[in-house]
Each structure stands twice: as C-alpha cells, then as structure tokens.
Amino acid sequence: MSYYTRFIRPGGQCIRLGGYRRKSPSPKFGTRQDFENGIRELKGLFPGDLSSTSNEELETHGFSGTDYHPGALHSIIVYPQSTEDVVKIVKVATKYRIPVIPYSAATSLEGQTRGHPTVGGICVDISHMDKILEIHADDGDLVCQAGAGWMDINETLKEKGIPLFFPIDPAPTATIGGMLSTGCSGTNAVRYGTARGEWILNATVVLPSGEVIKTRQRARKSSTGFDTTKLFIGAEGTLGIITEVTIKLTPVLPTTVAVVHFPDVHKATEAVIEVLNKGVGIQCVELMDDQMMSATNKYGQASRKWPEKDTIYFKFQGPTKASLAETAKIAKSVVEKYGGTGFTLAKDDKEAAELWTDRKNALYAGLAMYPGAKAWSTDVCVPLTKLPDLVYQTKRDLEEIGIPYNVLGHVGDGNFHTGLFFKTEEEKEIVRQATHRMVKRAIALDGTCTGEHGVGIGKKKYLVEELGEGTVQLMKSLKRTIDPLGLFNPGKLYPDETDDEVEGKV
C-alpha cells in the first residue's frame, strides 16, 4: 500500500483523493508441471486440428507483422467451436492457473493478442466460431458468433437481398468479437459512431469463473440497471471471452464520393466543421496529407493524378440521388470559402468506387514509396478544432528527425493516424519515441492516446495521464473482482504499478 494525496489536474479537475492505494497483486500462475498437465488435458478435449502446439502456429499467433511491440509465444492454440467449448477451456485454465488470451483475426495494432511474456498461456482462437445464427431483418438486427467478420456479414446480407448492413468498418478481416473487445471504429464513424456505441445490443460472455452470461435481451432499449454490455466493450478480453453478439443493422443508402484540395490542414478542418454543422448527409470525411497524395499518385490504383496537397475525401449519403446532389452542392459552396479547390464529384457509382479505392489503399501506397521499409501505424484522437495543431506539431517533429511518414485522418471526428517508416532497429527506436511524443501532444490537447486501435501493451502506460488515477484504479478494481486469479489476458490494458507511478505524475 502507498499513501497518495489530493491531486488537481490543470483546469481544476479532481483526480485523486487522499488515502491509500492498494497495489495490484501479481497473478500467481501454475508451475511448469501444471502447464504441462493443462496442455495435455486440452489436447484430450480438443483433439486433432482443434488444438496445436506446433512451432509454426505458436509463432503465427505470438507475433505480428502489423505492429512492432514485443512478441511472446503462447503455450498452446485451441480452436473452440461453441460457447460450451470456451467454458471447457476456461475450466482447465482455472484448474492449472494458466493465462487465457482471446484471439480472432489479429488485426489489432497494440499487441492485444500476445502470449504472456514469461509463461505463455492458452490462446483461444475463436476464428472457427464464425456463424451467423439469426437474422431479424424486420427488427434490424443480427445474432452471430464472435468470430464472424463484419465484411462477411454484410456480404451475406447483400446475397440474401436484405437491404441492411453493419456500418462499423475497421480492418477488412476484423471480427465482431474483436471489434467489441477493442471498441474500434473506422471511416464511417463520423456518421455511425463506433463499436462502443449503440450498435452492440448484447453479448454472450464466458467469465473467468466459467459462468456464461448474456448481458441484455434483444430489445433496442432498456433501463434495467447499468449497461453490462459496455463493461466488456474495450476490455480487450481481460474480463471475459465474447462468444456471441447481437448487432444492430441499418439501411443501405445511396452514396457518392467527392475529393477536394486545400492549402493546409487548418483550412480543411474549418471547412469540414462547417459542412458537418450544415446537417447534410455525410458518411465519411477523410484527410490525406500532401505526402500521402504523392504516394497515391505514384502507387495508387486510380487512373487519375491529383494535386499533391492536403486533401479531403467526402463520402456523401442520402435516401435519393437528388439528396446526394444537394449535399454535394452545399459542401462545394462551403469548402470553396476556405480555399478548397478542384472539387471533384464522382459521375457515377463506378467512379465513386474508384475514388474511394485510393483512400482505402493508402497504407499500401505509402509502403510502396519506401521499398523494404516497415510501417509503424498508430493513432490518437483530439477534439476536432485541435486537430490542425496536432497535425502541424507532429509533422514538424517528424521532419526534424528525418523519418519518412504520411498522415491520414478521420477528420470528421478528430482521429489522426500516421504511418512512420523505418528499416533498421535504430530507426525503429526513433519511430517509437516519435509515437510517444505524438501521444503526449494529443493528451495535452484534451485528446486520447488511441481513437480506435485500443490499448493492449502499446498504450497502457498512458492511461493514468489521460484518465486520472482514480479512473484507472476503478478499472483495476473491476478486473480484480471479475478475474481474481488474473488469468484473462494478463499484462494488457491495465497499467503496471510502475506505469502508474511514472505516467501519473505531473
């Protein structure tokens, strides 16, 4: 226990009150013999292809080619097919005190699916739990297993002639369980919000005790106590393993795309704010900086070449083609007031898809600019009016240290992404420090260390500074109550005590 005093953040917000802070005990895992016994028992319960300890699969699940946090091997990979299978895994884990790490598509960028760095653990790969269980088209919802992919769900609805879709659009291969667990979003967030919003109606969860709960019924609204569904949104598998989810669907509406160029990010952001405040049908508003446009011209898939300026991609949405035309007219008149030039509106659906392809393939175009380089992708989010300051400060920093980079942003909600390119270990460390400075800037601007990538192991050290120690201690208290053995995804999300002491100081 350690004593701490009353703490007032700048602006007068009270974060800590005087008293004693309870140190979080380190989990006591089983012995090496316990782990061997547990693995043997799991192989008996999940024979053949349903479990694996092969070096290849352990390597695939314990490391990532999309992030650059330390890798850590699991002890065994298990592929459950049902909620009941997950319960069996959890009971074995509890019996032998073995960590449990959920895993699905592994599109996360902050190391959420790594094994425990010293003991490994059971990797529960739910990618085989990918079934759509029920479609309630008239109610506008769908029940699926947690390993179902959002793109597969939308394709199934399209094939069945159901004019509905699930609008949260992160990485193309992301699954519903992973999306819920990280509270992710994507380009549609400016219109539809995030996986933390009302798109998740309920979830079936296997708790660390082995008990199975369902967080809510399927009704669109309920005032029965606090919303336990949201307890697991963003928990990154530390409180339970999601096995089934009911998601809301929304009507498919006509869309089109427009592209416009600006003299700088500040003018672009001012224009976006006014367009959004007009109340017109905006589905997406995406920023690509001058360097990103240069990469697009050289390596993008579209046939046309663009001015290499800070550029906004709009996706308009409305019930009719006439409404799209009216939205485009209003947007064009607004952006021109802020120095927007070259306003290009797609002539038809084919051209709209081509224009949007450049935005969706931006990462690959950026990589092509620097052959042999790797890209460290990271994100932060700030209030929309603070975005230009963050972009300017970050770009100046990156230019001073000489690291190749490009900038993307969900500018409609202040979410800022960078791709930082490196080839050597020395350059990787420079990139790591640049990312750290970007996070610090975002928090200083009343923002967050992660707008949609989650916390994992990469961002957990910033939580005390961003949320305050009281909030983080509340999160840890919930963790201790629900997972008293500390077996569920240990080492992720919750700051270590040393992080509390270092990052929590002002």
Coordinates of all heavy atoms in Angstrom, one line a residue, residues 39-119:
I39 N -2.0 -28.5 -20.7 CA -1.9 -28.7 -22.2 C -2.3 -30.1 -22.6 O -3.0 -30.3 -23.6 CB -0.4 -28.4 -22.6 CG1 -0.1 -26.9 -22.5 CG2 -0.2 -28.9 -24.1 CD1 1.3 -26.6 -22.7
R40 N -1.9 -31.1 -21.8 CA -2.3 -32.5 -22.1 C -3.8 -32.6 -22.0 O -4.4 -33.3 -22.8 CB -1.6 -33.4 -21.1 CG -1.8 -34.9 -21.4 CD -1.1 -35.8 -20.4 NE 0.4 -35.5 -20.3 CZ 0.9 -34.9 -19.2 NH1 0.2 -34.7 -18.2 NH2 2.2 -34.6 -19.2
E41 N -4.4 -32.0 -21.0 CA -5.9 -32.1 -20.8 C -6.6 -31.4 -22.0 O -7.6 -31.9 -22.5 CB -6.3 -31.6 -19.5 CG -7.7 -31.8 -19.1 CD -8.0 -31.6 -17.7 OE1 -7.1 -31.8 -16.8 OE2 -9.2 -31.2 -17.4
L42 N -6.1 -30.3 -22.4 CA -6.7 -29.6 -23.5 C -6.6 -30.4 -24.8 O -7.6 -30.4 -25.6 CB -6.0 -28.2 -23.7 CG -6.4 -27.2 -22.6 CD1 -5.5 -25.9 -22.8 CD2 -7.9 -26.7 -22.8
K43 N -5.5 -31.0 -25.0 CA -5.3 -31.8 -26.3 C -6.3 -33.0 -26.3 O -6.8 -33.4 -27.3 CB -3.9 -32.3 -26.4 CG -2.9 -31.2 -26.8 CD -1.5 -31.8 -27.1 CE -0.6 -30.8 -27.7 NZ 0.7 -31.3 -28.0
G44 N -6.6 -33.5 -25.1 CA -7.6 -34.6 -25.0 C -9.0 -34.1 -25.3 O -9.8 -34.7 -25.9
L45 N -9.3 -32.8 -24.8 CA -10.6 -32.3 -25.0 C -10.8 -31.7 -26.5 O -11.9 -31.7 -27.0 CB -10.9 -31.1 -24.0 CG -11.0 -31.5 -22.6 CD1 -11.0 -30.2 -21.7 CD2 -12.4 -32.2 -22.3
F46 N -9.7 -31.3 -27.1 CA -9.7 -30.7 -28.4 C -8.6 -31.4 -29.3 O -7.6 -30.9 -29.5 CB -9.4 -29.2 -28.3 CG -10.4 -28.5 -27.5 CD1 -10.2 -28.2 -26.2 CD2 -11.6 -28.0 -28.1 CE1 -11.2 -27.6 -25.4 CE2 -12.6 -27.3 -27.4 CZ -12.3 -27.1 -26.0
P47 N -9.0 -32.6 -29.7 CA -8.0 -33.4 -30.5 C -7.8 -33.0 -31.9 O -8.6 -32.2 -32.4 CB -8.6 -34.9 -30.4 CG -10.1 -34.6 -30.4 CD -10.3 -33.4 -29.5
G48 N -6.8 -33.5 -32.5 CA -6.6 -33.2 -33.9 C -6.3 -31.7 -34.2 O -5.5 -31.1 -33.5
D49 N -7.0 -31.2 -35.2 CA -6.9 -29.8 -35.7 C -7.5 -28.8 -34.7 O -7.4 -27.6 -35.0 CB -7.5 -29.6 -37.1 CG -6.7 -30.4 -38.1 OD1 -5.5 -30.8 -37.9 OD2 -7.3 -30.7 -39.2
L50 N -8.1 -29.3 -33.7 CA -8.8 -28.3 -32.7 C -7.8 -27.7 -31.7 O -8.2 -26.9 -31.0 CB -10.0 -29.0 -32.0 CG -11.1 -29.5 -32.9 CD1 -12.2 -30.2 -32.1 CD2 -11.7 -28.3 -33.7
S51 N -6.6 -28.2 -31.7 CA -5.6 -27.6 -30.8 C -4.2 -27.8 -31.5 O -4.1 -28.7 -32.3 CB -5.6 -28.2 -29.4 OG -5.3 -29.6 -29.5
S52 N -3.3 -27.0 -31.1 CA -1.9 -27.2 -31.7 C -0.9 -26.6 -30.8 O -1.1 -25.6 -30.1 CB -1.9 -26.4 -33.1 OG -0.6 -26.5 -33.6
T53 N 0.3 -27.3 -30.8 CA 1.5 -26.8 -30.1 C 2.6 -26.7 -31.1 O 3.8 -26.7 -30.7 CB 1.9 -27.6 -28.9 OG1 2.0 -29.0 -29.3 CG2 0.9 -27.5 -27.8
S54 N 2.3 -26.7 -32.4 CA 3.3 -26.7 -33.4 C 4.0 -25.3 -33.4 O 3.4 -24.3 -33.1 CB 2.7 -26.9 -34.8 OG 2.1 -25.7 -35.3
N55 N 5.3 -25.3 -33.7 CA 6.1 -24.1 -33.7 C 5.6 -23.1 -34.6 O 5.5 -21.9 -34.4 CB 7.6 -24.4 -34.0 CG 8.3 -25.2 -32.9 OD1 7.9 -25.1 -31.8 ND2 9.3 -25.9 -33.3
E56 N 5.1 -23.5 -35.8 CA 4.6 -22.6 -36.8 C 3.3 -21.8 -36.3 O 3.2 -20.6 -36.4 CB 4.2 -23.4 -38.1 CG 3.7 -22.5 -39.2 CD 3.4 -23.2 -40.5 OE1 3.6 -24.5 -40.5 OE2 2.9 -22.6 -41.4
E57 N 2.4 -22.6 -35.7 CA 1.2 -21.9 -35.2 C 1.5 -21.0 -34.0 O 0.9 -20.0 -33.8 CB 0.1 -22.9 -34.9 CG -0.5 -23.6 -36.2 CD -1.8 -24.3 -36.0 OE1 -2.8 -23.6 -35.5 OE2 -1.9 -25.5 -36.2
L58 N 2.3 -21.5 -33.1 CA 2.7 -20.7 -32.0 C 3.3 -19.4 -32.4 O 3.1 -18.3 -31.9 CB 3.6 -21.4 -31.0 CG 3.0 -22.7 -30.3 CD1 4.1 -23.4 -29.5 CD2 1.9 -22.3 -29.5
E59 N 4.2 -19.5 -33.5 CA 4.8 -18.3 -34.0 C 3.8 -17.3 -34.6 O 3.9 -16.1 -34.4 CB 5.9 -18.7 -35.0 CG 6.7 -17.6 -35.6 CD 7.9 -17.2 -34.8 OE1 8.3 -17.9 -33.9 OE2 8.5 -16.1 -35.1
T60 N 2.9 -17.9 -35.4 CA 1.9 -17.1 -36.1 C 1.0 -16.3 -35.1 O 0.7 -15.1 -35.3 CB 1.0 -18.0 -37.0 OG1 1.8 -18.6 -38.0 CG2 -0.1 -17.1 -37.6
H61 N 0.7 -17.0 -34.0 CA -0.2 -16.4 -33.0 C 0.5 -15.5 -32.0 O -0.1 -14.6 -31.4 CB -1.0 -17.4 -32.3 CG -2.1 -18.1 -33.1 ND1 -1.8 -19.0 -34.1 CD2 -3.4 -18.0 -33.0 CE1 -2.9 -19.5 -34.6 NE2 -3.9 -18.8 -34.0
G62 N 1.8 -15.7 -31.8 CA 2.5 -14.9 -30.8 C 3.2 -13.7 -31.3 O 3.7 -12.9 -30.5
F63 N 3.3 -13.5 -32.6 CA 4.0 -12.4 -33.2 C 3.1 -11.7 -34.3 O 2.1 -12.3 -34.7 CB 5.3 -12.8 -33.9 CG 6.4 -13.2 -32.9 CD1 6.3 -14.5 -32.3 CD2 7.3 -12.3 -32.4 CE1 7.3 -14.9 -31.4 CE2 8.3 -12.7 -31.5 CZ 8.2 -14.0 -31.0
S64 N 3.4 -10.6 -34.7 CA 2.6 -9.8 -35.6 C 3.4 -9.1 -36.7 O 4.5 -8.5 -36.3 CB 1.7 -8.8 -34.9 OG 1.0 -8.0 -35.8
G65 N 2.9 -9.1 -37.9 CA 3.6 -8.4 -38.9 C 3.0 -7.0 -39.1 O 3.5 -6.2 -39.9
T66 N 2.0 -6.6 -38.3 CA 1.3 -5.3 -38.5 C 1.6 -4.4 -37.3 O 1.2 -3.3 -37.3 CB -0.2 -5.5 -38.6 OG1 -0.7 -6.2 -37.4 CG2 -0.6 -6.3 -39.8
D67 N 2.3 -4.9 -36.2 CA 2.7 -4.0 -35.2 C 4.1 -4.4 -34.8 O 4.6 -5.4 -35.1 CB 1.7 -4.0 -34.0 CG 1.8 -5.2 -33.1 OD1 2.9 -5.5 -32.6 OD2 0.8 -6.0 -33.1
Y68 N 4.7 -3.5 -34.0 CA 6.1 -3.7 -33.6 C 6.4 -3.7 -32.1 O 7.4 -3.3 -31.7 CB 7.0 -2.7 -34.4 CG 6.8 -2.9 -35.9 CD1 5.9 -2.1 -36.6 CD2 7.4 -3.9 -36.5 CE1 5.6 -2.4 -37.9 CE2 7.2 -4.2 -37.9 CZ 6.3 -3.4 -38.6 OH 6.0 -3.7 -39.9
H69 N 5.4 -4.3 -31.4 CA 5.6 -4.5 -30.0 C 6.2 -5.9 -29.8 O 6.2 -6.7 -30.7 CB 4.2 -4.4 -29.3 CG 3.5 -3.1 -29.5 ND1 4.1 -1.9 -29.1 CD2 2.4 -2.8 -30.1 CE1 3.3 -0.9 -29.5 NE2 2.2 -1.4 -30.1
P70 N 6.8 -6.1 -28.6 CA 7.5 -7.4 -28.4 C 6.5 -8.6 -28.6 O 5.4 -8.6 -28.1 CB 8.0 -7.3 -27.0 CG 8.1 -5.8 -26.7 CD 7.0 -5.2 -27.5
G71 N 7.0 -9.6 -29.3 CA 6.2 -10.8 -29.5 C 6.4 -11.7 -28.3 O 7.3 -11.6 -27.5
A72 N 5.4 -12.6 -28.1 CA 5.5 -13.6 -27.0 C 4.7 -14.8 -27.4 O 3.5 -14.7 -27.7 CB 5.0 -13.0 -25.7
L73 N 5.3 -16.0 -27.3 CA 4.7 -17.2 -27.7 C 3.6 -17.6 -26.7 O 3.8 -17.5 -25.5 CB 5.7 -18.3 -27.9 CG 6.7 -18.1 -29.0 CD1 7.7 -19.3 -29.0 CD2 6.0 -18.1 -30.4
H74 N 2.6 -18.2 -27.2 CA 1.6 -18.9 -26.3 C 2.1 -20.3 -26.1 O 3.1 -20.8 -26.7 CB 0.2 -19.0 -27.0 CG -0.3 -17.7 -27.4 ND1 -1.0 -16.9 -26.6 CD2 -0.3 -17.0 -28.6 CE1 -1.4 -15.8 -27.2 NE2 -0.9 -15.8 -28.4
S75 N 1.5 -21.1 -25.1 CA 1.8 -22.4 -24.8 C 1.1 -23.4 -25.7 O 1.6 -24.5 -26.1 CB 1.5 -22.8 -23.4 OG 2.2 -21.8 -22.5
I76 N -0.1 -23.1 -26.1 CA -1.0 -23.9 -26.9 C -2.0 -23.1 -27.6 O -2.5 -22.1 -27.0 CB -1.7 -25.1 -26.1 CG1 -2.5 -26.0 -27.0 CG2 -2.5 -24.5 -25.0 CD1 -3.0 -27.2 -26.3
I77 N -2.4 -23.4 -28.8 CA -3.5 -22.8 -29.5 C -4.7 -23.7 -29.5 O -4.6 -24.9 -29.8 CB -3.2 -22.4 -31.0 CG1 -1.7 -21.9 -31.1 CG2 -4.2 -21.5 -31.6 CD1 -1.5 -20.6 -30.3
V78 N -5.9 -23.2 -29.1 CA -7.1 -24.0 -29.1 C -8.1 -23.3 -29.9 O -8.3 -22.1 -29.9 CB -7.6 -24.3 -27.6 CG1 -8.8 -25.2 -27.6 CG2 -6.5 -24.8 -26.7
Y79 N -8.9 -24.2 -30.7 CA -9.9 -23.6 -31.6 C -11.3 -24.1 -31.2 O -11.8 -25.1 -31.7 CB -9.6 -24.1 -33.1 CG -8.3 -23.6 -33.6 CD1 -7.1 -24.4 -33.5 CD2 -8.2 -22.4 -34.3 CE1 -5.9 -24.0 -34.0 CE2 -6.9 -22.0 -34.8 CZ -5.8 -22.8 -34.7 OH -4.6 -22.4 -35.2
P80 N -11.9 -23.4 -30.3 CA -13.3 -23.8 -29.9 C -14.3 -23.6 -31.0 O -14.1 -22.7 -31.9 CB -13.6 -22.8 -28.7 CG -12.7 -21.6 -29.0 CD -11.5 -22.1 -29.7
Q81 N -15.4 -24.3 -31.0 CA -16.4 -24.2 -32.0 C -17.7 -23.6 -31.4 O -18.6 -23.3 -32.1 CB -16.8 -25.6 -32.5 CG -15.6 -26.4 -32.9 CD -14.8 -25.9 -34.1 OE1 -15.4 -25.7 -35.2 NE2 -13.5 -25.6 -33.9
S82 N -17.8 -23.5 -30.1 CA -19.0 -23.1 -29.4 C -18.7 -22.4 -28.1 O -17.6 -22.5 -27.5 CB -19.9 -24.3 -29.2 OG -19.3 -25.2 -28.3
T83 N -19.7 -21.8 -27.5 CA -19.6 -21.3 -26.1 C -19.2 -22.4 -25.1 O -18.4 -22.1 -24.2 CB -20.9 -20.6 -25.7 OG1 -21.2 -19.5 -26.6 CG2 -20.9 -20.1 -24.3
E84 N -19.8 -23.6 -25.3 CA -19.5 -24.7 -24.4 C -18.1 -25.0 -24.4 O -17.4 -25.4 -23.4 CB -20.4 -25.9 -24.7 CG -21.9 -25.7 -24.5 CD -22.6 -24.7 -25.4 OE1 -22.1 -24.6 -26.6 OE2 -23.6 -24.1 -25.1
D85 N -17.5 -25.0 -25.6 CA -16.0 -25.3 -25.8 C -15.2 -24.3 -25.0 O -14.2 -24.6 -24.4 CB -15.6 -25.3 -27.2 CG -16.0 -26.5 -28.0 OD1 -16.5 -27.5 -27.3 OD2 -15.9 -26.5 -29.2
V86 N -15.6 -23.0 -25.1 CA -14.8 -22.0 -24.4 C -14.9 -22.2 -22.9 O -13.9 -22.0 -22.1 CB -15.4 -20.6 -24.8 CG1 -14.7 -19.5 -23.9 CG2 -15.1 -20.3 -26.2
V87 N -16.1 -22.6 -22.4 CA -16.2 -22.9 -20.9 C -15.2 -24.0 -20.5 O -14.6 -23.9 -19.5 CB -17.7 -23.4 -20.6 CG1 -17.8 -23.9 -19.2 CG2 -18.6 -22.2 -20.8
K88 N -15.1 -25.1 -21.4 CA -14.2 -26.1 -21.1 C -12.7 -25.6 -21.0 O -12.0 -26.0 -20.1 CB -14.2 -27.2 -22.2 CG -15.5 -28.0 -22.2 CD -15.5 -28.9 -23.4 CE -16.9 -29.6 -23.6 NZ -16.9 -30.5 -24.8
I89 N -12.4 -24.7 -21.9 CA -11.0 -24.2 -21.9 C -10.8 -23.4 -20.6 O -9.7 -23.5 -19.9 CB -10.8 -23.3 -23.1 CG1 -10.9 -24.1 -24.4 CG2 -9.5 -22.6 -23.0 CD1 -11.0 -23.3 -25.7
V90 N -11.8 -22.5 -20.2 CA -11.6 -21.7 -19.0 C -11.5 -22.5 -17.8 O -10.7 -22.2 -16.9 CB -12.8 -20.7 -18.9 CG1 -12.8 -20.0 -17.6 CG2 -12.7 -19.7 -20.1
K91 N -12.2 -23.6 -17.7 CA -12.1 -24.5 -16.5 C -10.8 -25.2 -16.4 O -10.2 -25.3 -15.3 CB -13.3 -25.6 -16.6 CG -14.6 -25.0 -16.3 CD -15.7 -26.0 -16.3 CE -17.1 -25.4 -15.9 NZ -18.2 -26.4 -15.8
V92 N -10.2 -25.6 -17.5 CA -8.8 -26.1 -17.5 C -7.8 -25.0 -17.1 O -6.9 -25.3 -16.3 CB -8.5 -26.7 -18.9 CG1 -7.0 -27.1 -18.9 CG2 -9.3 -27.9 -19.2
A93 N -8.0 -23.8 -17.6 CA -7.1 -22.7 -17.3 C -7.2 -22.4 -15.8 O -6.1 -22.2 -15.2 CB -7.5 -21.5 -18.1
T94 N -8.3 -22.4 -15.2 CA -8.5 -22.1 -13.8 C -7.9 -23.3 -12.9 O -7.2 -23.0 -11.9 CB -10.0 -22.0 -13.4 OG1 -10.5 -20.9 -14.2 CG2 -10.2 -21.7 -12.0
K95 N -8.1 -24.5 -13.4 CA -7.6 -25.7 -12.6 C -6.1 -25.6 -12.5 O -5.5 -25.9 -11.4 CB -8.1 -26.9 -13.3 CG -7.6 -28.2 -12.7 CD -8.2 -29.4 -13.5 CE -7.7 -30.7 -13.0 NZ -8.2 -31.9 -13.8
Y96 N -5.4 -25.2 -13.6 CA -4.0 -25.3 -13.6 C -3.3 -23.9 -13.6 O -2.1 -23.8 -13.7 CB -3.5 -26.0 -14.9 CG -3.9 -27.4 -14.9 CD1 -5.0 -27.9 -15.7 CD2 -3.3 -28.4 -14.1 CE1 -5.4 -29.2 -15.7 CE2 -3.7 -29.7 -14.1 CZ -4.7 -30.1 -14.9 OH -5.1 -31.5 -14.9
R97 N -4.1 -22.8 -13.4 CA -3.6 -21.4 -13.3 C -2.8 -21.0 -14.5 O -1.7 -20.6 -14.4 CB -2.8 -21.3 -12.0 CG -3.5 -21.5 -10.7 CD -4.6 -20.5 -10.5 NE -5.2 -20.6 -9.1 CZ -6.2 -21.4 -8.7 NH1 -6.8 -22.2 -9.6 NH2 -6.6 -21.3 -7.5
I98 N -3.4 -21.2 -15.7 CA -2.8 -20.8 -17.0 C -3.5 -19.6 -17.6 O -4.7 -19.6 -17.6 CB -2.9 -22.0 -18.0 CG1 -2.3 -23.3 -17.3 CG2 -2.1 -21.7 -19.2 CD1 -2.5 -24.5 -18.2
P99 N -2.7 -18.6 -18.0 CA -3.3 -17.4 -18.6 C -4.1 -17.8 -19.9 O -3.8 -18.8 -20.6 CB -2.1 -16.6 -19.1 CG -1.0 -17.0 -18.2 CD -1.2 -18.5 -17.9
V100 N -5.2 -17.0 -20.1 CA -6.1 -17.2 -21.3 C -6.1 -16.0 -22.1 O -6.3 -14.9 -21.6 CB -7.5 -17.5 -20.8 CG1 -8.4 -17.7 -22.0 CG2 -7.5 -18.8 -19.9
I101 N -5.7 -16.1 -23.4 CA -5.6 -15.0 -24.3 C -6.6 -15.1 -25.5 O -6.3 -16.0 -26.3 CB -4.2 -14.7 -24.8 CG1 -3.2 -14.5 -23.6 CG2 -4.1 -13.5 -25.7 CD1 -2.5 -15.8 -23.1
P102 N -7.7 -14.4 -25.6 CA -8.6 -14.5 -26.8 C -7.9 -14.0 -28.0 O -7.0 -13.1 -28.0 CB -9.7 -13.6 -26.4 CG -9.6 -13.3 -25.0 CD -8.2 -13.4 -24.6
Y103 N -8.3 -14.6 -29.2 CA -7.6 -14.3 -30.5 C -8.7 -14.5 -31.5 O -9.4 -15.5 -31.5 CB -6.4 -15.2 -30.6 CG -5.6 -15.0 -31.8 CD1 -4.3 -14.4 -31.7 CD2 -6.0 -15.4 -33.1 CE1 -3.5 -14.2 -32.9 CE2 -5.1 -15.3 -34.2 CZ -3.9 -14.7 -34.1 OH -3.1 -14.6 -35.2
S104 N -8.7 -13.6 -32.5 CA -9.6 -13.9 -33.7 C -8.9 -13.6 -35.0 O -8.1 -14.4 -35.5 CB -11.0 -13.2 -33.5 OG -10.8 -11.8 -33.4
A105 N -9.1 -12.4 -35.5 CA -8.4 -12.0 -36.8 C -7.1 -11.4 -36.6 O -6.3 -11.3 -37.5 CB -9.3 -11.1 -37.5
A106 N -6.7 -11.0 -35.4 CA -5.4 -10.4 -35.0 C -5.1 -9.2 -35.9 O -4.0 -9.0 -36.3 CB -4.3 -11.5 -35.2
T107 N -6.1 -8.4 -36.1 CA -5.9 -7.1 -36.8 C -5.5 -6.0 -35.9 O -5.2 -4.9 -36.4 CB -7.1 -6.7 -37.6 OG1 -8.3 -6.6 -36.7 CG2 -7.5 -7.8 -38.7
S108 N -5.5 -6.2 -34.6 CA -5.2 -5.2 -33.6 C -3.8 -4.7 -33.8 O -2.9 -5.5 -34.2 CB -5.5 -5.6 -32.2 OG -4.8 -6.8 -31.9
L109 N -3.5 -3.5 -33.4 CA -2.2 -2.9 -33.6 C -1.4 -2.6 -32.4 O -0.4 -1.9 -32.4 CB -2.4 -1.6 -34.5 CG -2.9 -1.9 -35.9 CD1 -3.2 -0.5 -36.6 CD2 -1.8 -2.6 -36.7
E110 N -2.0 -3.0 -31.2 CA -1.3 -2.6 -30.0 C -0.9 -3.9 -29.1 O -0.8 -3.8 -27.9 CB -2.1 -1.7 -29.1 CG -2.3 -0.3 -29.8 CD -1.1 0.5 -30.0 OE1 0.0 0.1 -29.3 OE2 -1.1 1.5 -30.8
G111 N -0.8 -5.0 -29.8 CA -0.3 -6.2 -29.1 C -1.3 -6.9 -28.2 O -0.9 -7.6 -27.3
Q112 N -2.6 -6.7 -28.5 CA -3.6 -7.3 -27.6 C -3.6 -8.8 -27.6 O -4.2 -9.4 -26.6 CB -5.0 -6.8 -28.1 CG -5.3 -5.3 -27.7 CD -5.0 -4.4 -28.8 OE1 -4.1 -4.6 -29.7 NE2 -5.6 -3.2 -28.8
T113 N -3.1 -9.5 -28.6 CA -3.2 -10.9 -28.6 C -1.9 -11.7 -28.3 O -1.9 -12.9 -28.5 CB -3.7 -11.4 -30.0 OG1 -2.8 -10.9 -31.0 CG2 -5.1 -10.8 -30.3
R114 N -0.9 -11.0 -27.8 CA 0.3 -11.7 -27.4 C 0.1 -12.7 -26.3 O -0.7 -12.5 -25.4 CB 1.4 -10.7 -27.0 CG 1.7 -9.6 -28.1 CD 2.5 -10.3 -29.2 NE 3.3 -9.3 -29.9 CZ 2.8 -8.6 -30.9 NH1 1.6 -8.7 -31.3 NH2 3.6 -7.7 -31.5
G115 N 1.0 -13.7 -26.3 CA 1.1 -14.6 -25.1 C 1.7 -13.8 -23.9 O 2.2 -12.7 -24.1
H116 N 1.6 -14.4 -22.7 CA 2.2 -13.8 -21.6 C 3.7 -13.9 -21.8 O 4.3 -14.9 -22.2 CB 1.8 -14.5 -20.3 CG 2.3 -13.8 -19.1 ND1 3.6 -14.0 -18.6 CD2 1.7 -12.9 -18.2 CE1 3.7 -13.2 -17.5 NE2 2.6 -12.6 -17.2
P117 N 4.5 -12.8 -21.5 CA 5.9 -12.7 -21.9 C 6.8 -13.7 -21.2 O 7.9 -14.1 -21.7 CB 6.3 -11.3 -21.6 CG 5.3 -10.8 -20.6 CD 4.0 -11.5 -21.0
T118 N 6.4 -14.2 -20.0 CA 7.2 -15.2 -19.3 C 6.7 -16.6 -19.2 O 7.5 -17.5 -19.1 CB 7.5 -14.7 -17.9 OG1 6.2 -14.5 -17.2 CG2 8.2 -13.3 -17.9
V119 N 5.4 -16.8 -19.3 CA 4.8 -18.1 -19.1 C 4.0 -18.6 -20.3 O 3.6 -19.8 -20.4 CB 3.9 -18.2 -17.8 CG1 4.8 -17.9 -16.6 CG2 2.7 -17.3 -17.9

